[in-house]
Amino acid sequence: MVEELVAAGLAAGSACVVYVMAGARVIKQYERGVVFRLGRLRDRVREPGFTMIVPVVDRMHKVNMQIVTMPVPAQEGITRDNVTVRVDAVVYFKVVDAADAIVSVEDYRFAVSQMAQTSLRSIIGKSELDDLLSNREKLNQGLELMIDSPALGWGVSVDRVEIKDVSLPETMKRSMARQAEADRERRARVINADAELQASKKLAEAAHQMADAPSALQLRLLQTVMAVAAEKNSTLVLPIPVELLRFLERGGQPAPGTTPGAEARTAPEAVAPGTGTSGDEAAVEGPAGLTALDLPLPDAPDAPDAPDAPDAPSLTSTERSANAPDGAGAAETPGTSLEREVDGHRAVEEPR
């Protein structure tokens, strides 16, 4: 009898131990327990630590309350300025209500992932390419609001959303590279022009200072010569004033109003001595190789009064030669100029 009682007590004790072990649960610090009794949600969420449930009757689901890092797959879309891009992001979220995360949605992780992908496509279509590249903070905030609004009903809070990478087509990359290069070249030219303007102002001030003190110009010249001579070379620099070169250039030019070789042309046309004409008189080509001077003959000296004689006809050079005695024409030697009178004008016959 005693043995039967002991055996029954041991059996009851063993059953109690098994019951306790079957209903004992340990919840970690970063978890919360949601208990369903006979399919109904218990109002109280189990806190971290040791807890008991009714075996076979209760079912407990543990929910992780840590922040979850979920990468969003790259999404391809067209921006508002018609540029095709691929954008990927990452979402940081956590569960704030364990009961809603279990009851309100089947799989809150999958739901948040799909919502993040659709929101990312929507934000790509509403934004321009420049905003995606430079104004990411504003886009991150807008994307966070788009994901967080429906996720609050699932017991999930989105902590933050970050756009990781924006992939551009190769043609767009080349276009942006050319644009950046052109912008940098423009800035370089503006800076260079500004430097030239400042340098010109300083040079103008230096020129005024040197104009007031001529010795400063000589000192500057000596400094330049010393700078050139400091180099190890065999070049000797001798500064020559520009005024000297201009003086030499003016000295080599002919006098105004004359042409080169004018003196050579006027020399053979000189009048024989005693004619009373100068070389500056203009000459006119006459007939039979004679050169007629435009100026009239000088007045003859006064002669004593003489009885009037009949006017004799004036003879030309041909008639004089014909009326002259034999041998008179031989007096004209080659290479000499002979004076003739043609139609009341004095002329010089050039040698043939």
Side-chain angles (χ1 to χ4, degrees), residues 249-334:
E249 182 179 359
R250 287 196 300 269
Q253 294 179 354
T258 61
T259 57
E263 298 179 357
R265 289 196 303 268
T266 57
E269 298 174 2
V271 182
T275 59
T277 60
S278 62
D280 295 336
E281 297 173 346
V284 179
E285 279 293 326
L290 299 180
T291 303
L293 301 179
D294 292 338
L295 297 179
L297 295 174
D299 297 337
D302 296 338
D305 296 337
D308 295 336
D311 295 336
S314 58
L315 301 177
T316 61
S317 59
T318 307
E319 294 174 351
R320 288 181 183 181
S321 300
N323 297 332
D326 296 336
E332 300 177 359
T333 60

Side-chain angles (χ1 to χ4, degrees), residues 12-33:
S14 300
C16 292
V17 171
V18 172
Y19 180 82
V20 170
M21 292 180 61
R25 296 290 186 272
V26 176
I27 302 175
K28 297 180 182 179
Q29 182 65 35
Y30 54 85
E31 293 176 341
R32 297 294 185 270

